[in-house]
Amino acid sequence: MSKRSEVVILDCWASPFCMRVKLVLREKGVEYESREEDLFGGKSQLLLSSNPIHKKVPVLLHNKKPILESTNIVAYIDTVWPSPPLLPSSPYEAAQARFWADFIDKKVFEAGTNIWRSTGEAQEVAKKDFIEVLKQLEGSALGDKKFFAGEAFGFVDLLTIPLTNWFLAYEKIGDFKIEDYCPKLSDWIKRCNQRESVAKVLPDPEKVYEFVASIRKSQGIE
Amino acid sequence: MSKRSEVVILDCWASPFCMRVKLVLREKGVEYESREEDLFGGKSQLLLSSNPIHKKVPVLLHNKKPILESTNIVAYIDTVWPSPPLLPSSPYEAAQARFWADFIDKKVFEAGTNIWRSTGEAQEVAKKDFIEVLKQLEGSALGDKKFFAGEAFGFVDLLTIPLTNWFLAYEKIGDFKIEDYCPKLSDWIKRCNQRESVAKVLPDPEKVYEFVASIRKSQGIE
C-alpha cells in the first residue's frame, strides 16, 4: 500500500457515506487511519472545525486538509490516486457517471430512510417510492451490464454499493424483498459483495439492522 | 467562436440553470443553438426522450448526445473546451469548488423559492433562512476575495451568478434588501454583472420579477 501522505477519515462505522471513502481508499491501495466519531454523544472539535457548514462525517483529512462530502471525496481520491481509474476518461461517459451519482445521492438513501422512519400506511407509500427509485436505477442505468459502466467496477458502483448495506434493514422493517422487484440490481449487489474491498469495508448488514432498529426504538417509531 | 461541433440547449429563458449553460458556452467561445421549451404548455418530445428521469431543462445536446443537470453540464463543457479553465487544476481546490457548488445547488434556489411561494409569517421565516444561506456563502466561501476562487472568475462564480438574477424578485416580493445583510456578496454580484458574458446571457431582473409575480398570481399566492 502507498504511504505517500497522511490520510485520516473522520468516520462512523454505520454510515454508508463513510463506507464509500474507506472503499475507494482500499480500491486505490491507500493506507488510512479511521477515527470513529460519536455522533450521538458529541462530535469532535476536529469534525466541527473541519466541516463547519454541515458538521457531518465523512471528512477526509489529506495531509491535514479537509475534503468534504462523500461523492466529492471519492472524485478527489480518484484524481490524486488515479490507478485504477474509477471515473471514465471520456468526458461524455464521466458526465453520465456523475449524473447517476447525483441521482443516487438525491434519491436512494432518503427513500430508504422514509421506510424505517415510518409505520403503517406511510411505510407502504415509502416502500413503493423506494422500489420506484431502484427500478429507475436498474432500468435506465444498470440494464444488463455487469457493472454500471460496463465490465469494470467503477465510480457509480463504488458510490452505490455502500447504500445497499442498509437494504436488509429496510427489508426486515418493511417486510418486503427487494429481489422480488429488482432482480438485476440484486444480482449486481451479490457480484459487488464478492469483491475483496467491498467484503472488507462493509459491515454485517444484520449489525446495521440492529443499529437501525435501536434508533427506531429510541425514537418511539414502532 | 469555435465551430467544432453541434451544440444545442433545450432552454427556458427564465431558468437560472439554463443561464449557467449559456454562460459557460459564452465564456468558452462556443457557438450554440438555444431551443426554448414551453414548460407550461407542453415539453418537446426531444426533452422527454433526452431526460426521461427528470424531464427538466437544461439539456445540452452535444453532437446529439444529451448531457444533463446544469452543474454537470458546466463541468463537462470545462473538460471538452478547457480554455479558459473554470475548475482549478489543483485537486484540492477543485474539490473545494465542487463542495461549494453542491452547497449552492442544494440551498440557494430552494431557499429563494420558499420566499416567493409563501406569504405572511411563513415568508418571514423563509427570508430569515435565505439570508442565513447567503451569509454562510459570503462568510465561508467568498470572504474578501474578488471571486470565489480568488482573482479569476471561475466555476463557483459561474454557477452562482445566474441564481442572483432572481434576487430582485425575492426582494420585491419579500420587501427586503439583500445588500443590507450581505454587502460583500452584493459587491460580488455587481462585479460579475459587469462581465460581458454575464451581461449578455442574464435577462433583465425586472422581467424575471414579472414572470415570478405572474406565477404567484396564477397559483393564488397573494
Side-chain angles (χ1 to χ4, degrees):
Chain A
M1 286 200 170
S2 149
K3 257 200 149 175
R4 290 198 280 176
S5 46
E6 189 197 70
V7 178
V8 174
I9 307 171
L10 306 187
D11 198 7
C12 167
W13 73 271
S15 158
F17 304 102
C18 293
M19 294 174 207
R20 288 172 166 182
V21 180
K22 289 174 278 191
L23 188 53
V24 66
L25 289 168
R26 278 205 174 259
E27 285 286 330
K28 301 289 186 173
V30 177
E31 274 187 31
Y32 61 87
E33 179 197 338
S34 155
R35 295 193 196 161
E36 188 74 12
E37 288 283 332
D38 181 1
L39 300 182
F40 297 101
K43 297 171 182 178
S44 73
Q45 269 310 314
L46 186 57
L47 174 56
L48 299 176
S49 65
S50 303
N51 192 356
I53 297 291
H54 300 309
K55 304 177 179 68
K56 284 191 315 188
V57 293
V59 170
L60 180 80
L61 293 159
H62 183 202
N63 296 329
K64 305 204 190 320
K65 280 185 180 173
I67 297 104
L68 309 175
E69 298 287 76
S70 64
T71 301
N72 196 31
I73 295 171
V74 169
Y76 170 81
I77 291 171
D78 197 38
T79 311
V80 175
W81 289 278
S83 174
L86 288 171
L87 270 163
S89 57
S90 138
Y92 178 72
E93 284 169 26
Q96 296 288 97
R98 284 195 181 269
F99 170 80
W100 285 109
D102 182 62
F103 173 87
I104 289 155
D105 278 354
K106 282 178 180 152
K107 305 259 183 176
V108 177
F109 194 68
E110 188 178 319
T113 302
N114 291 341
I115 297 173
W116 70 260
R117 280 205 185 276
S118 61
T119 58
E121 191 51 47
Q123 192 178 69
E124 291 307 309
V125 173
K127 276 157 60 178
K128 210 165 151 262
D129 290 347
F130 177 73
I131 293 293
E132 192 52 44
V133 168
L134 294 193
K135 276 179 176 290
Q136 282 191 310
L137 196 59
E138 182 183 79
S140 302
L142 181 63
D144 292 312
K145 298 193 295 293
K146 189 174 172 192
F147 295 109
F148 279 91
E151 282 303 303
F153 181 84
F155 192 66
V156 178
D157 306 287
L158 190 139
L159 293 175
T160 311
I161 195 66
L163 302 179
T164 70
N165 193 237
W166 284 53
F167 284 10
L168 180 73
Y170 308 154
E171 289 182 328
K172 288 180 91 158
I173 290 163
D175 191 24
F176 72 120
K177 282 277 176 203
I178 290 161
E179 197 163 10
D180 295 343
Y181 303 91
C182 301
K184 288 178 190 172
L185 193 73
S186 298
D187 284 349
W188 167 84
I189 294 173
K190 286 174 202 149
R191 256 193 313 280
C192 291
N193 283 339
Q194 284 164 6
R195 200 171 175 87
E196 193 194 349
S197 61
V198 175
K200 282 209 168 138
V201 165
L202 268 51
D204 180 356
E206 287 286 355
K207 213 179 133 199
V208 170
Y209 163 66
E210 284 163 25
F211 172 73
V212 174
S214 75
I215 302 178
R216 268 171 67 87
K217 201 169 176 183
S218 74
Q219 296 187 353
I221 312 164
E222 268 178 323
Chain B
M1 286 200 173
S2 149
K3 254 199 151 173
R4 291 198 279 176
S5 46
E6 188 197 70
V7 178
V8 174
I9 307 171
L10 306 186
D11 198 7
C12 166
W13 72 271
S15 158
F17 304 102
C18 293
M19 294 173 207
R20 288 173 166 181
V21 180
K22 289 174 279 191
L23 187 53
V24 65
L25 289 168
R26 279 207 172 256
E27 284 285 330
K28 301 287 187 175
V30 176
E31 275 187 32
Y32 60 87
E33 178 197 339
S34 155
R35 295 193 195 160
E36 189 73 11
E37 288 282 332
D38 180 1
L39 300 183
F40 296 100
K43 297 171 183 179
S44 74
Q45 270 309 313
L46 187 57
L47 174 57
L48 298 176
S49 65
S50 303
N51 190 357
I53 298 289
H54 301 308
K55 303 176 181 68
K56 283 189 316 188
V57 293
V59 170
L60 181 80
L61 293 159
H62 183 201
N63 295 329
K64 304 204 189 320
K65 281 186 177 172
I67 298 104
L68 310 175
E69 299 287 75
S70 63
T71 301
N72 197 31
I73 295 170
V74 170
Y76 170 83
I77 291 171
D78 196 39
T79 311
V80 175
W81 289 277
S83 174
L86 287 171
L87 268 163
S89 58
S90 139
Y92 178 72
E93 283 168 26
Q96 296 288 97
R98 284 196 180 269
F99 169 81
W100 284 110
D102 182 63
F103 173 88
I104 289 156
D105 278 353
K106 284 178 179 152
K107 306 262 183 173
V108 176
F109 194 67
E110 188 178 319
T113 302
N114 291 341
I115 298 173
W116 70 259
R117 279 203 185 279
S118 61
T119 56
E121 192 52 44
Q123 192 179 69
E124 291 306 310
V125 173
K127 275 158 59 179
K128 211 166 149 260
D129 290 348
F130 177 73
I131 292 294
E132 191 54 42
V133 168
L134 294 194
K135 276 179 175 288
Q136 283 191 309
L137 196 60
E138 181 183 79
S140 301
L142 180 63
D144 291 312
K145 299 193 295 292
K146 189 173 171 192
F147 294 110
F148 278 93
E151 282 303 303
F153 181 84
F155 192 65
V156 178
D157 305 288
L158 190 139
L159 293 175
T160 311
I161 195 67
L163 302 180
T164 70
N165 194 236
W166 283 53
F167 283 10
L168 180 73
Y170 308 154
E171 288 182 329
K172 287 180 91 156
I173 290 163
D175 190 22
F176 72 120
K177 281 278 173 201
I178 290 162
E179 197 165 11
D180 295 342
Y181 302 93
C182 301
K184 287 178 191 173
L185 194 74
S186 298
D187 284 348
W188 167 84
I189 294 173
K190 285 175 204 152
R191 254 192 315 278
C192 291
N193 281 340
Q194 284 164 6
R195 202 170 174 86
E196 193 193 349
S197 61
V198 176
K200 281 208 169 138
V201 165
L202 268 51
D204 180 355
E206 287 285 354
K207 213 178 133 199
V208 171
Y209 162 68
E210 283 163 26
F211 174 71
V212 174
S214 75
I215 301 177
R216 269 172 66 90
K217 199 170 177 181
S218 73
Q219 296 187 355
I221 312 164
E222 270 176 320

